[in-house]
Amino acid sequence: LNALHNSDRVLGKLVRKLEDQQLLDSTLVVVVSDHGEAFGRHQQFIHASKIYEENVHIPLILIQPALFSGNEYETIGGLVDLAPTIMHILNRPVPAQWQGRSFFNARKTNRTYFFAAYSSFLFGYREGDQKYILNGTFRSETRDRLPGGERPAALKKGNRLNEAKQEKNEIYDLGEDPTEMANLSDRLPDAVSRGQQRLAAWVQYQNKFINSLLVEK
């Protein structure tokens, strides 16, 4: 609460300064966070270890009096869409190699992807109110292994929290279950299959994209 209060105070000071200098109407102020905080939900007391909503649902506020007046948008997106959105608002071209699409682009899908490797290899995406999470870490009868045979770093350190049983597939209806407590994966085998295929395609695309950036021109 103290952090929220201080952030609000500093933001207010910034906006008032822009108003005093008659710069607010020609300035785009972007307020965004890098991650959420779990505060004990899903047995988490640190951030970055999971990809539940408390980890990945963050605020995005655009302040520009000439363009916005308190409008709220429910389009699903991620940080990858932020830079294209800013360029769209500024009426500037988006570099071809950038990923993501502007939140105001009519062709933008109502979907975003997630990845976390802090404890387990977790992949996921949200489309509308449906959230799919895949735990890509291999678990044997004796000990945890990653696909390459290596143990996750968190388990090497003896992180007891991450040694707890984890589901391989998780599906949540965020409209009915916003805190992600009722895993529907056993009831939705077709959605699990579709989710695995979509994430596999996404990972392959990202690998190809990263490799293209690393190759000397």
Side-chain angles (χ1 to χ4, degrees):
L1 291 177
N2 286 335
L4 290 172
H5 175 76
N6 186 63
S7 298
D8 185 60
R9 181 181 62 82
V10 172
L11 179 60
K13 183 178 180 180
L14 172 64
V15 171
R16 286 193 299 272
K17 190 70 172 180
L18 290 171
E19 288 177 327
D20 293 343
Q21 297 185 1
Q22 298 183 338
L23 293 174
L24 188 58
D25 286 343
S26 60
T27 301
L28 173 65
V29 179
V30 181
V31 183
V32 69
S33 172
D34 56 343
H35 57 75
E37 290 291 347
F39 295 112
R41 186 174 292 174
H42 293 106
Q43 297 182 323
Q44 302 173 86
F45 297 91
I46 56 174
H47 60 252
S49 62
K50 305 292 182 184
I51 52 176
Y52 295 113
E53 288 298 284
E54 61 265 25
N55 305 112
V56 300
H57 190 173
I58 59 173
L60 171 60
I61 303 172
L62 304 174
I63 302 174
Q64 216 303 315
L67 297 176
F68 309 116
S69 56
N71 317 68
E72 293 187 12
Y73 295 85
E74 297 184 356
T75 305
I76 301 299
L79 289 174
V80 71
D81 301 307
L82 182 55
T85 298
I86 293 173
M87 297 297 276
H88 186 160
I89 294 172
L90 299 179
N91 197 27
R92 301 293 299 274
V94 176
Q97 67 269 33
W98 283 13
Q99 295 190 31
R101 281 183 174 169
S102 167
F103 282 100
F104 305 112
N105 187 328
R107 297 178 58 193
K108 187 187 183 319
T109 60
N110 200 31
R111 181 194 314 142
T112 195
Y113 291 86
F114 312 106
F115 172 67
Y118 185 82
S119 55
S120 299
F121 271 23
L122 300 175
F123 304 86
Y125 69 89
R126 175 178 174 177
E127 185 167 23
D129 281 338
Q130 188 174 87
K131 176 87 163 285
Y132 173 63
I133 298 174
L134 170 67
N135 188 334
T137 304
F138 285 0
R139 296 182 65 86
S140 67
E141 293 181 1
T142 56
R143 53 183 173 174
D144 299 78
R145 292 289 179 182
L146 296 180
E150 181 71 8
R151 299 196 77 197
L155 291 181
K156 289 180 183 177
K157 299 174 184 177
N159 188 332
R160 303 301 302 179
L161 175 61
N162 294 309
E163 291 176 358
K165 181 180 182 297
Q166 299 181 30
E167 299 288 343
K168 181 175 178 60
N169 296 288
E170 299 175 65
I171 294 180
Y172 300 99
D173 180 348
L174 299 177
E176 298 293 329
D177 179 27
T179 56
E180 295 164 294
M181 294 298 172
N183 183 2
L184 304 176
S185 61
D186 289 342
R187 292 184 247 168
L188 301 171
D190 290 343
V192 169
S193 177
R194 182 170 61 251
Q196 291 178 349
Q197 293 174 9
R198 177 166 286 166
L199 286 176
W202 179 69
V203 169
Q204 291 171 31
Y205 168 81
Q206 296 297 340
N207 286 339
K208 183 178 179 179
F209 176 75
I210 294 298
N211 287 335
S212 71
L213 298 179
L214 298 177
V215 173
E216 290 188 18
K217 302 300 181 183

